[in-house]
Amino acid sequence: MRSARLAWLWIVAAVVSAGASEQGFTPLFDGRSLDGWITTEVRGRGYLVEDGMLVCPPDGGGNIFTEKEYANFILRFEFRMETDGNNGVGIRSPVTRRVSREGMEIQIIDAEGPRHSKMRLRPEQFHGSLYGMIPARQGFLRPTGEWNEQEIQADGRRLTIKVNGVIVLDNDLDIVREPEVLEKHPGVKRARGHIGFLGHGTRVEFRNIRVRELP
């Protein structure tokens, strides 16, 4: 009886802890519509809503942005991609085609797929990296076809990214100082903008997209 009671208490504590960690978060996607989002540079069918998920189909994509702009925030979401999946998360971006230049893009990519593994990606092009600027630690994605959790925290000039609970990038954005990099990516200086998903012609699914604004 005592062991059963302890097990029950552990479950209750875990649920309470999980609820506390989500306090203050607001859903960005209602699971039924694209209300609250702006699409641009639409390809094919664009983004779809399927079974409560936001889906970039292989014959669709483009960019989809929140209507609202965010400065300092914690963004959490789950994603699942097919082999050679490729997408991105835009932060502090204007509504634009070239998010990695005019805003900032965090990579979502299956770099080990047969197509991408032949492309000799640079370190700052792998999953979780700040595209073209800061590389992320690798090896924390689950097998292709399984759901992953990701968290992006932008707090002032500090950018922290977690993949499946592991910190893969934690840097001050001001470490990006090379003139040639800043010329290619002036958006790294932006203090606020839209959050977005950036489709590149492969199926990637998103769910449980939520955000908490920071002071």
Side-chain angles (χ1 to χ4, degrees), residues 115-130:
R115 180 160 63 95
H116 290 142
S117 61
K118 296 177 182 177
M119 294 176 65
R120 297 182 181 178
L121 298 177
R122 300 189 305 274
E124 69 276 12
Q125 292 178 311
F126 282 78
H127 184 85
S129 298
L130 180 61

Side-chain angles (χ1 to χ4, degrees), residues 120-192:
R120 297 182 181 178
L121 298 177
R122 300 189 305 274
E124 69 276 12
Q125 292 178 311
F126 282 78
H127 184 85
S129 298
L130 180 61
Y131 184 85
M133 290 179 274
I134 304 175
R137 299 165 62 209
Q138 298 302 304
F140 304 101
L141 281 173
R142 293 175 183 144
T144 303
E146 294 186 14
W147 286 102
N148 295 270
E149 296 90 37
Q150 186 146 321
E151 177 181 294
I152 299 170
Q153 179 170 323
D155 190 3
R157 300 302 293 163
R158 196 79 186 178
L159 179 65
T160 305
I161 299 171
K162 294 181 182 178
V163 175
N164 295 319
V166 178
I167 295 174
V168 298
L169 187 152
D170 186 17
N171 287 97
D172 189 316
L173 292 170
D174 290 331
I175 69 167
V176 182
R177 297 173 183 163
E178 300 84 355
E180 64 276 15
V181 176
L182 292 172
E183 184 178 358
K184 290 180 180 178
H185 304 280
V188 73
K189 298 291 188 181
R190 289 177 60 93
R192 68 181 300 111

Side-chain angles (χ1 to χ4, degrees), residues 31-193:
R32 302 182 302 275
S33 70
L34 298 181
D35 290 351
W37 294 85
I38 305 166
T39 56
T40 183
E41 302 298 324
V42 176
R43 301 178 185 177
R45 294 189 293 163
Y47 279 81
L48 310 175
V49 179
E50 295 180 1
D51 301 322
M53 303 178 298
L54 177 65
V55 177
C56 176
D59 59 346
N63 297 342
I64 186 168
F65 297 97
T66 56
E67 291 180 349
K68 183 176 176 178
E69 293 190 356
Y70 296 87
N72 301 320
F73 59 87
I74 301 172
L75 172 69
R76 292 177 179 168
F77 60 93
E78 298 173 49
F79 70 93
R80 180 169 63 181
M81 57 184 164
E82 62 183 13
T83 299
D84 275 320
N86 188 5
N87 206 285
V89 184
I91 62 170
R92 294 178 177 169
S93 177
V95 175
T96 179
R97 177 176 64 87
R98 301 188 298 174
V99 175
S100 65
R101 173 179 171 79
E102 298 174 32
M104 288 173 266
E105 178 179 356
I106 289 94
Q107 279 284 72
I108 293 178
I109 190 169
D110 172 27
E112 297 182 356
R115 180 160 63 95
H116 290 142
S117 61
K118 296 177 182 177
M119 294 176 65
R120 297 182 181 178
L121 298 177
R122 300 189 305 274
E124 69 276 12
Q125 292 178 311
F126 282 78
H127 184 85
S129 298
L130 180 61
Y131 184 85
M133 290 179 274
I134 304 175
R137 299 165 62 209
Q138 298 302 304
F140 304 101
L141 281 173
R142 293 175 183 144
T144 303
E146 294 186 14
W147 286 102
N148 295 270
E149 296 90 37
Q150 186 146 321
E151 177 181 294
I152 299 170
Q153 179 170 323
D155 190 3
R157 300 302 293 163
R158 196 79 186 178
L159 179 65
T160 305
I161 299 171
K162 294 181 182 178
V163 175
N164 295 319
V166 178
I167 295 174
V168 298
L169 187 152
D170 186 17
N171 287 97
D172 189 316
L173 292 170
D174 290 331
I175 69 167
V176 182
R177 297 173 183 163
E178 300 84 355
E180 64 276 15
V181 176
L182 292 172
E183 184 178 358
K184 290 180 180 178
H185 304 280
V188 73
K189 298 291 188 181
R190 289 177 60 93
R192 68 181 300 111

